[in-house]
Amino acid sequence: MYKKPHRIKNFIQELGTEEETLVLSDGEFRWTYIPGTNTIMKTKLPKTSEITKSDYLTIIGITLNDTNVSLLGVEKLDNRETYLLKTSPKETGESAAQYYTKVWVDKETWMPLKYEMYDSSGNLTAKVEIWDLKVNSGIPDSEFVFNIPDGAEIKTTG
């Protein structure tokens, strides 16, 4: 979930595990809760401005300048039509990064809904998925309030 200004709520699951880590930003702090160890990392967020449309255009420009992008096809993902893209670094040679990515981009919103990174041998090394995408849905502020679980250890950084 994302809501301006700077409110974010993500659940992260590592490959091969069932455990989900919660990463929540209330606009002032980032809370990272790891249920298996019942620990919380609390980090003060720096003051930054919101990302603008021109910031997105800059990021897209950098990506297109540094990356080869090809269309692999069209696929349905979570009942949404997506473009399946493959990207790889343009730079070649011994010191160049040796990986490629697959990105599923929503046809309607142009948001990446799934991202997979592969090493030079074709092994999956990272995967990010967005499920149940809703845009401008009126998310209540209460979704971004972190409630500290009983007995949790809090480690403050930043």
Side-chain angles (χ1 to χ4, degrees):
M1 289 182 216
Y2 174 76
K3 183 177 182 179
K4 292 182 179 182
H6 305 295
R7 293 184 180 126
I8 299 170
K9 185 175 187 179
N10 292 317
F11 293 94
I12 300 168
Q13 184 177 11
E14 291 204 29
L15 292 174
T17 69
E18 295 294 320
E19 183 175 272
E20 289 185 329
T21 297
L22 168 64
V23 179
L24 183 140
S25 167
D26 58 16
E28 186 178 353
F29 293 97
R30 180 179 62 234
W31 304 85
T32 304
Y33 176 59
I34 305 163
T37 59
N38 202 24
T39 56
I40 300 164
M41 297 297 294
K42 179 182 175 186
T43 306
K44 178 83 171 144
L45 296 174
K47 297 288 182 206
T48 59
S49 58
E50 289 292 320
I51 294 176
T52 65
K53 287 182 183 179
S54 65
D55 293 328
Y56 283 117
L57 292 175
T58 300
I59 291 168
I60 290 169
I62 291 168
T63 301
L64 292 175
N65 286 334
D66 296 344
T67 310
N68 292 313
V69 180
S70 58
L71 177 65
L72 297 180
V74 176
E75 287 189 8
K76 261 206 172 190
L77 186 65
D78 196 27
N79 289 321
R80 299 185 73 89
E81 289 287 323
T82 65
Y83 296 108
L84 175 54
L85 307 176
K86 180 179 179 181
T87 69
S88 58
K90 282 185 179 177
E91 188 177 322
T92 58
E94 206 171 293
S95 63
Q98 300 296 317
Y99 66 90
Y100 68 92
T101 62
K102 289 184 179 178
V103 183
W104 288 255
V105 179
D106 184 80
K107 279 181 147 183
E108 180 185 346
T109 64
W110 290 91
M111 286 189 60
L113 298 181
K114 185 175 177 181
Y115 174 95
E116 294 179 347
M117 182 178 276
Y118 296 84
D119 64 18
S120 59
S121 300
N123 299 311
L124 180 65
T125 60
K127 181 166 83 170
V128 174
E129 291 184 69
I130 295 175
W131 293 72
D132 194 25
L133 176 68
K134 293 180 182 72
V135 179
N136 298 326
S137 64
I139 301 168
D141 290 345
S142 60
E143 282 289 346
F144 305 97
V145 174
F146 183 73
N147 297 306
I148 300 170
D150 291 339
E153 177 187 358
I154 301 173
K155 300 175 183 178
T156 304
T157 61

Short mmCIF file of all heavy atoms in Angstrom, two decimals, residues 29-34 37-44 146 148 151-158:
data_model
loop_
_atom_site.label_atom_id
_atom_site.label_comp_id
_atom_site.label_asym_id
_atom_site.label_seq_id
_atom_site.Cartn_x
_atom_site.Cartn_y
_atom_site.Cartn_z
N PHE A 29 8.45 7.43 10.72
CA PHE A 29 9.35 6.31 11.00
C PHE A 29 9.06 5.17 10.03
O PHE A 29 7.94 5.00 9.55
CB PHE A 29 9.16 5.77 12.43
CG PHE A 29 9.58 6.73 13.49
CD1 PHE A 29 8.65 7.55 14.11
CD2 PHE A 29 10.91 6.85 13.85
CE1 PHE A 29 9.03 8.44 15.09
CE2 PHE A 29 11.30 7.74 14.84
CZ PHE A 29 10.35 8.54 15.46
N ARG A 30 10.11 4.35 9.77
CA ARG A 30 9.94 3.08 9.07
C ARG A 30 10.05 2.00 10.13
O ARG A 30 11.02 1.93 10.87
CB ARG A 30 10.99 2.87 7.99
CG ARG A 30 10.76 1.52 7.27
CD ARG A 30 11.75 1.23 6.16
NE ARG A 30 13.10 1.16 6.69
CZ ARG A 30 14.12 1.87 6.25
NH1 ARG A 30 13.96 2.72 5.26
NH2 ARG A 30 15.32 1.76 6.79
N TRP A 31 9.04 1.16 10.21
CA TRP A 31 8.98 0.04 11.15
C TRP A 31 9.16 -1.24 10.35
O TRP A 31 8.41 -1.50 9.42
CB TRP A 31 7.64 0.00 11.86
CG TRP A 31 7.27 1.25 12.58
CD1 TRP A 31 6.67 2.36 12.05
CD2 TRP A 31 7.47 1.52 13.96
NE1 TRP A 31 6.48 3.30 13.03
CE2 TRP A 31 6.95 2.81 14.21
CE3 TRP A 31 8.02 0.79 15.01
CZ2 TRP A 31 6.98 3.40 15.46
CZ3 TRP A 31 8.04 1.38 16.27
CH2 TRP A 31 7.54 2.65 16.49
N THR A 32 10.14 -2.06 10.72
CA THR A 32 10.35 -3.36 10.08
C THR A 32 10.16 -4.41 11.15
O THR A 32 10.96 -4.48 12.09
CB THR A 32 11.75 -3.45 9.45
OG1 THR A 32 11.93 -2.36 8.54
CG2 THR A 32 11.93 -4.77 8.72
N TYR A 33 9.12 -5.22 11.02
CA TYR A 33 8.81 -6.23 12.03
C TYR A 33 9.08 -7.62 11.47
O TYR A 33 8.54 -8.01 10.44
CB TYR A 33 7.35 -6.12 12.47
CG TYR A 33 6.97 -7.21 13.46
CD1 TYR A 33 7.64 -7.35 14.67
CD2 TYR A 33 5.96 -8.11 13.16
CE1 TYR A 33 7.30 -8.35 15.56
CE2 TYR A 33 5.61 -9.11 14.05
CZ TYR A 33 6.28 -9.22 15.25
OH TYR A 33 5.95 -10.22 16.13
N ILE A 34 9.94 -8.36 12.19
CA ILE A 34 10.29 -9.74 11.82
C ILE A 34 9.64 -10.67 12.84
O ILE A 34 10.11 -10.78 13.98
CB ILE A 34 11.83 -9.93 11.80
CG1 ILE A 34 12.45 -8.88 10.87
CG2 ILE A 34 12.19 -11.34 11.38
CD1 ILE A 34 13.93 -8.68 11.06
N THR A 37 11.56 -13.63 14.99
CA THR A 37 12.42 -13.24 16.12
C THR A 37 11.73 -12.23 17.03
O THR A 37 12.30 -11.83 18.04
CB THR A 37 13.74 -12.63 15.62
OG1 THR A 37 13.44 -11.48 14.80
CG2 THR A 37 14.54 -13.64 14.82
N ASN A 38 10.51 -11.82 16.66
CA ASN A 38 9.75 -10.81 17.39
C ASN A 38 10.57 -9.55 17.63
O ASN A 38 10.62 -9.00 18.72
CB ASN A 38 9.20 -11.37 18.72
CG ASN A 38 8.01 -10.58 19.23
OD1 ASN A 38 7.31 -9.91 18.46
ND2 ASN A 38 7.79 -10.62 20.53
N THR A 39 11.25 -9.13 16.55
CA THR A 39 12.07 -7.92 16.64
C THR A 39 11.56 -6.85 15.67
O THR A 39 10.98 -7.17 14.63
CB THR A 39 13.56 -8.19 16.33
OG1 THR A 39 13.66 -8.79 15.03
CG2 THR A 39 14.19 -9.10 17.36
N ILE A 40 11.82 -5.63 16.05
CA ILE A 40 11.39 -4.47 15.28
C ILE A 40 12.59 -3.56 15.06
O ILE A 40 13.32 -3.27 16.01
CB ILE A 40 10.31 -3.67 16.04
CG1 ILE A 40 9.08 -4.54 16.31
CG2 ILE A 40 9.93 -2.40 15.27
CD1 ILE A 40 8.15 -3.97 17.36
N MET A 41 12.78 -3.14 13.83
CA MET A 41 13.76 -2.10 13.53
C MET A 41 12.97 -0.82 13.29
O MET A 41 12.11 -0.77 12.41
CB MET A 41 14.58 -2.43 12.28
CG MET A 41 15.43 -3.68 12.41
SD MET A 41 16.69 -3.57 13.68
CE MET A 41 17.74 -2.31 13.02
N LYS A 42 13.26 0.21 14.09
CA LYS A 42 12.57 1.50 13.97
C LYS A 42 13.58 2.52 13.47
O LYS A 42 14.60 2.76 14.11
CB LYS A 42 12.02 1.92 15.34
CG LYS A 42 11.32 3.26 15.35
CD LYS A 42 10.86 3.61 16.76
CE LYS A 42 10.27 4.99 16.81
NZ LYS A 42 9.95 5.38 18.20
N THR A 43 13.29 3.13 12.30
CA THR A 43 14.23 4.05 11.67
C THR A 43 13.53 5.38 11.41
O THR A 43 12.46 5.41 10.79
CB THR A 43 14.74 3.48 10.34
OG1 THR A 43 15.27 2.16 10.58
CG2 THR A 43 15.80 4.35 9.73
N LYS A 44 14.15 6.47 11.86
CA LYS A 44 13.63 7.81 11.58
C LYS A 44 13.81 8.09 10.10
O LYS A 44 14.88 7.89 9.54
CB LYS A 44 14.39 8.84 12.42
CG LYS A 44 13.99 10.27 12.18
CD LYS A 44 12.78 10.63 12.97
CE LYS A 44 12.53 12.14 12.88
NZ LYS A 44 11.15 12.47 12.84
N PHE A 146 1.56 1.60 13.23
CA PHE A 146 2.22 0.36 13.64
C PHE A 146 1.88 0.08 15.10
O PHE A 146 2.09 0.90 15.98
CB PHE A 146 3.74 0.47 13.48
CG PHE A 146 4.45 -0.81 13.82
CD1 PHE A 146 4.37 -1.90 12.98
CD2 PHE A 146 5.14 -0.93 15.01
CE1 PHE A 146 5.01 -3.09 13.29
CE2 PHE A 146 5.78 -2.12 15.34
CZ PHE A 146 5.70 -3.20 14.47
N ILE A 148 2.83 -2.20 18.18
CA ILE A 148 3.95 -3.02 18.66
C ILE A 148 3.42 -4.30 19.29
O ILE A 148 2.64 -4.25 20.25
CB ILE A 148 4.82 -2.23 19.64
CG1 ILE A 148 5.38 -0.98 18.94
CG2 ILE A 148 5.93 -3.10 20.21
CD1 ILE A 148 6.07 0.00 19.87
N GLY A 151 5.90 -8.12 23.84
CA GLY A 151 7.20 -8.72 24.04
C GLY A 151 8.21 -8.47 22.95
O GLY A 151 9.33 -9.00 23.00
N ALA A 152 7.87 -7.66 21.96
CA ALA A 152 8.79 -7.40 20.85
C ALA A 152 9.96 -6.55 21.31
O ALA A 152 9.81 -5.64 22.11
CB ALA A 152 8.07 -6.71 19.70
N GLU A 153 11.14 -6.88 20.77
CA GLU A 153 12.36 -6.09 21.03
C GLU A 153 12.47 -5.04 19.96
O GLU A 153 12.41 -5.34 18.77
CB GLU A 153 13.58 -7.01 21.00
CG GLU A 153 14.88 -6.27 21.19
CD GLU A 153 16.11 -7.14 21.00
OE1 GLU A 153 15.96 -8.36 20.74
OE2 GLU A 153 17.21 -6.60 21.10
N ILE A 154 12.64 -3.76 20.38
CA ILE A 154 12.74 -2.65 19.42
C ILE A 154 14.18 -2.18 19.35
O ILE A 154 14.80 -1.88 20.37
CB ILE A 154 11.83 -1.48 19.85
CG1 ILE A 154 10.37 -1.93 19.93
CG2 ILE A 154 11.99 -0.32 18.88
CD1 ILE A 154 9.45 -0.90 20.50
N LYS A 155 14.73 -2.12 18.13
CA LYS A 155 16.06 -1.59 17.88
C LYS A 155 15.89 -0.33 17.06
O LYS A 155 15.36 -0.37 15.96
CB LYS A 155 16.91 -2.61 17.13
CG LYS A 155 17.09 -3.92 17.87
CD LYS A 155 17.84 -4.93 17.03
CE LYS A 155 17.95 -6.25 17.78
NZ LYS A 155 18.62 -7.27 16.97
N THR A 156 16.30 0.82 17.60
CA THR A 156 16.14 2.10 16.93
C THR A 156 17.40 2.45 16.19
O THR A 156 18.51 2.36 16.72
CB THR A 156 15.79 3.19 17.95
OG1 THR A 156 14.62 2.78 18.66
CG2 THR A 156 15.52 4.51 17.26
N THR A 157 17.24 2.87 14.92
CA THR A 157 18.37 3.32 14.11
C THR A 157 18.00 4.65 13.47
O THR A 157 16.83 4.99 13.35
CB THR A 157 18.73 2.32 13.00
OG1 THR A 157 17.61 2.17 12.14
CG2 THR A 157 19.11 0.97 13.57
N GLY A 158 19.01 5.37 13.04
CA GLY A 158 18.78 6.62 12.29
C GLY A 158 18.20 7.73 13.06
O GLY A 158 17.65 7.91 13.99
#
